C-alpha cells in the first residue's frame, strides 16, 4: 500500500500472467478513505503498450474505484522475463460535485499550486495459470473420505455415499412387472415346444409321402399355415 493519504492503491505491483500474442488485463483498486472528492490520473512510461480505462476520473468520498490496465499482445518474450515499465498515479483533492468530465490536466500541475500526491507502480510478469488437472469421477472401494479446503482456510471433510444396484429398494409395481415377464416367458417356451412338435410331425409326414402322395399337399398347407400363426404369436409376445 502507498503512503498517499488521498488514495491507497492496491496492489503496488501490476502483475501480468505473460502469454505471447494475447492481451492481458490487470485491475487496480483505489479506495478513497477521505471525506473529499479525489480526482486521479494514470500515466505510464510505455503508453503504446498499455491501455488504461479510465485513465482519469473521480473517486467519491469513502468509495473505491477500479481501473483496468490492459497490456497489448506481445510478439516476443523478454529473455529474463523482466519488465522495466512503470506507472505513475496522481491524485488531488477536488471540489464537491466534480465529475470525470471536469477533470483537466491543469489540476495535476504542481506549478499551478495544486497539492498533488503521487504513487509509482512497477510492472512484473508472472507465470500464466495452469489448467486444472483432470479429476476422476467416483472413488475406489475402501477409500476413506477426502478433505478439501473451505473458503475460510479450514479443512472440511466430505463423505461419499456409494450406491449399488443390489441396495436399491424395489419400486412400486416391480412385482407385477416380474409376474408379467414370467408369464410371457412361459408362453414363449410353450410355443417353442409346440413348434418343435409340429416340426417333428412334419418330418414324419415327409417320410410317409414317399410311400403315398394322396392328401399330402392339403395337409402341408394346413400345417404351414398353423406354423405361421404360431410364429406370429411368438413374435408378438416377445
Amino acid at each position: 500500500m502507498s503512503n498517499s493519504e488521498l488514495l491507497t492503491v492496491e496492489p503496488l505491483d501490476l502483475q501480468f500472467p505473460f502469454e505471447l500474442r494475447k492481451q492481458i488485463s490487470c485491475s487496480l483498486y483505489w479506495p478513497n478513505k477521505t471525506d473529499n472528492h479525489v480526482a486521479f490520473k494514470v500515466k505510464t512510461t510505455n503508453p503504446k503498450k498499455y491501455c488504461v480505462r479510465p485513465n482519469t476520473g473521480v473517486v467519491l468520498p469513502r468509495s473505491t474505484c477500479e481501473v483496468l490496465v490492459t497490456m497489448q499482445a506481445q510478439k516476443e518474450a523478454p529473455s529474463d522475463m523482466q519488465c522495466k515499465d512503470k506507472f505513475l498515479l496522481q491524485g488531488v483533492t477536488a471540489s464537491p460535485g466534480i465529475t470525470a468530465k471536469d477533470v483537466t490536466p491543469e489540476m495535476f500541475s504542481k506549478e499551478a499550486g495544486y497539492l498533488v500526491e503521487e504513487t509509482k507502480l512497477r510492472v512484473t510478469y508472472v507465470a500464466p495459470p495452469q489448467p486444472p488437472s483432470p479429476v476422476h469421477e467416483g472413488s475406489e472401494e475402501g477409500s476413506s473420505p477426502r478433505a478439501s479446503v473451505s473458503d475460510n482456510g479450514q479443512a472440511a471433510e466430505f463423505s461419499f455415499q456409494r450406491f449399488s444396484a443390489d441396495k436399491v429398494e424395489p419400486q412400486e409395481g416391480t412385482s407385477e412387472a416380474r409376474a408379467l415377464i414370467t408369464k410371457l416367458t412361459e408362453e414363449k417356451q410353450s410355443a417353442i415346444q409346440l413348434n418343435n412338435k409340429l416340426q417333428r410331425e412334419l418330418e414324419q409326414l415327409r417320410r410317409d409321402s414317399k410311400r403315398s402322395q394322396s392328401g399330402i399337399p392339403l395337409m402341408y398347407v394346413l400345417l404351414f399355415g398353423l406354423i405361421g400363426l404360431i410364429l406370429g404369436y411368438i413374435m408378438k409376445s416377445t
Side-chain angles (χ1 to χ4, degrees), residues 2 4-9 28 30 37-44 52 54-59 65 67 86-94 103-111 114-121:
S2 68
S4 172
E5 296 181 357
L6 298 179
L7 296 175
T8 305
V9 184
L28 282 175
W30 295 356
H37 287 66
V38 175
F40 69 86
K41 184 176 182 179
V42 184
K43 295 181 179 181
T44 178
V52 182
N55 59 351
T56 59
V58 176
V59 187
C65 177
V67 175
K86 292 181 176 60
F87 281 80
L88 177 65
L89 314 181
Q90 296 177 310
V92 61
T93 302
V103 178
T104 60
E106 289 76 15
M107 297 174 60
F108 304 95
S109 175
K110 296 179 181 180
E111 290 76 7
Y114 289 97
L115 182 59
V116 182
E117 294 189 5
E118 298 180 343
T119 300
K120 294 181 180 180
L121 302 181

Side-chain angles (χ1 to χ4, degrees), residues 37-101:
H37 287 66
V38 175
F40 69 86
K41 184 176 182 179
V42 184
K43 295 181 179 181
T44 178
T45 57
N46 197 342
K48 294 183 179 181
K49 184 177 178 180
Y50 302 94
C51 177
V52 182
R53 292 292 182 272
N55 59 351
T56 59
V58 176
V59 187
L60 300 178
R62 305 296 175 180
S63 64
T64 302
C65 177
E66 179 182 4
V67 175
L68 186 66
V69 181
T70 302
M71 182 176 66
Q72 304 301 323
Q74 301 297 300
K75 298 180 180 180
E76 296 180 357
S79 57
D80 53 359
M81 289 300 290
Q82 299 294 322
C83 183
K84 298 181 180 180
D85 300 334
K86 292 181 176 60
F87 281 80
L88 177 65
L89 314 181
Q90 296 177 310
V92 61
T93 302
S95 58
I98 189 174
T99 64
K101 296 180 179 179

Side-chain angles (χ1 to χ4, degrees), residues 17-24 73-78 128:
F18 188 87
E19 293 185 60
L20 289 175
R21 299 176 179 85
K22 183 178 180 180
Q23 284 189 346
I24 308 168
Q74 301 297 300
K75 298 180 180 180
E76 296 180 357

